[in-house]
């Protein structure tokens, strides 16, 4: 049992990395299936269009899908402040907070499409097909050969013997694709390391404080889900019973639209206050009715742990 508990604790501590690893593995598996089953290079003048479409179209679809399935996207879009509260707060703080949040959402959305492109380059099928139809590769391979070279080059993805013959004295298309794939992976890892170091160094909370915030955010989300289901069930039962029994419904207290609006904005932390979520701030300031809740701090810092927790 201790071993199992250690595994569970490890998964909890590194859940964000594990989620992105799973996404990358699923993307790689999908690319392998597409490359093996769906992709068939036409080996004619349409090579470039056909090959690049398998690079760009699935990557773009995964990019959009990453936005759709990321809760932070909808939290940021639907959790806007009311016009009155927006006017009370400086537009500069709002713009800076939203920009940072959008930046991290976009960065996370690139995980799946970049994985697709990197794996596709390592597999080389799409690149061989697309590159064999480009004028640059044609010039590189056929500048000193006869007029039939272009037609042979277009058939390279479909003929292994012809491919070996043409690339015997030059770097093969397969090798070019794999080199590009490894360079892309190296660049992605370097940028990920730089972005992580930058976000940690610029964070205004310590490492252990950040860990506490992450734990609190996750626990609050779990408990909120449980309580919301209980509250919704009781309200549904009350309304259903009242309808079928043709009786006046019993009094039932539920949060107002303003209450929901107050806790639905993306969380920012004020340098002069210590709250761990908008719900925490809302409850601590007498359900949002005090002037303290309505005041907006001059120096606001977006905590990326909220976005990371929700994305996982």
């Amino acid at each position: 049992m201790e071993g199992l508990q250690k595994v569970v604790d490890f998964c909890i501590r590194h859940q964000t990395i594990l989620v992105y690893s799973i996404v990358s593995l699923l993307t790689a598996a999908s690319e392998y299936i597409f490359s093996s089953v769906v992709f068939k290079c036409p080996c004619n003048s349409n090579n470039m269009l056909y090959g690049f479409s398998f690079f760009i179209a699935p990557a773009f679809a995964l990019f959009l899908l990453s936005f759709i399935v990321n809760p932070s996207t909808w939290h940021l879009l639907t959790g806007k402040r009311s016009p009155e509260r927006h006017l009370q707060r400086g537009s500069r703080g709002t713009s800076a907070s939203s920009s940072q949040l959008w930046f991290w959402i976009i960065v996370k959305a690139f995980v799946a499409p970049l994985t697709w492109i990197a794996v596709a380059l390592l597999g080389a099928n799409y690149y061989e097909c697309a590159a064999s139809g480009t004028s640059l590769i044609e010039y590189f391979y056929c500048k000193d050969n006869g007029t039939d070279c272009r037609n042979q080059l277009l058939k390279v993805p479909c003929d292994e013997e012809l491919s070996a013959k043409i690339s015997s004295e030059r770097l093969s298309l397969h090798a070019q694709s794999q080199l590009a794939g490894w360079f892309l992976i190296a660049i992605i890892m370097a940028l990920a390391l730089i972005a992580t170091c930058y976000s940690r160094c610029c964070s205004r909370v310590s490492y252990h404080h950040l860990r506490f915030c992450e734990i609190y955010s996750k626990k609050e989300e779990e408990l909120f889900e449980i309580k919301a289901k209980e509250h919704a069930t009781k309200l549904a039962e009350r309304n259903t019973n009242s309808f079928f029994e043709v009786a006046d419904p019993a009094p039932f207290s539920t949060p107002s639209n303003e209450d929901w609006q107050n806790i639905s904005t993306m969380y920012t932390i004020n340098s002069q206050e210590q709250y761990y979520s908008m719900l925490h701030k809302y409850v601590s300031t007498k359900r949002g009715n005090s002037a303290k809740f309505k005041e907006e701090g001059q120096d606001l810092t977006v905590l990326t742990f909220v976005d990371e927790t929700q994305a996982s």
Side-chain angles (χ1 to χ4, degrees), residues 131-171:
S132 64
T134 61
S135 57
L136 179 62
I137 298 297
E138 177 189 353
Y139 173 79
F140 179 72
Y141 278 88
C142 301
K143 62 180 180 179
D144 298 326
N145 297 328
T147 56
D148 192 50
C149 178
R150 172 172 171 75
N151 293 331
Q152 290 183 336
L153 186 62
L154 291 173
K155 297 178 181 179
V156 164
C158 303
D159 192 332
E160 294 183 1
E161 294 183 1
L162 184 60
S163 175
K165 179 181 178 181
I166 290 181
S167 61
S168 60
E169 297 180 357
R170 293 180 173 87
L171 185 66

Side-chain angles (χ1 to χ4, degrees), residues 12 21 39 43 49 54 63 90 110 123 147 162 171 179 185 209 211 227 247 310:
I12 293 175
S21 299
F39 182 79
C43 294
L49 178 62
F54 274 79
F63 182 73
F110 270 111
T147 56
L162 184 60
L171 185 66
L179 284 174
I185 292 174
H209 191 183
R211 286 290 303 134
K227 189 64 178 179
Q310 290 174 345

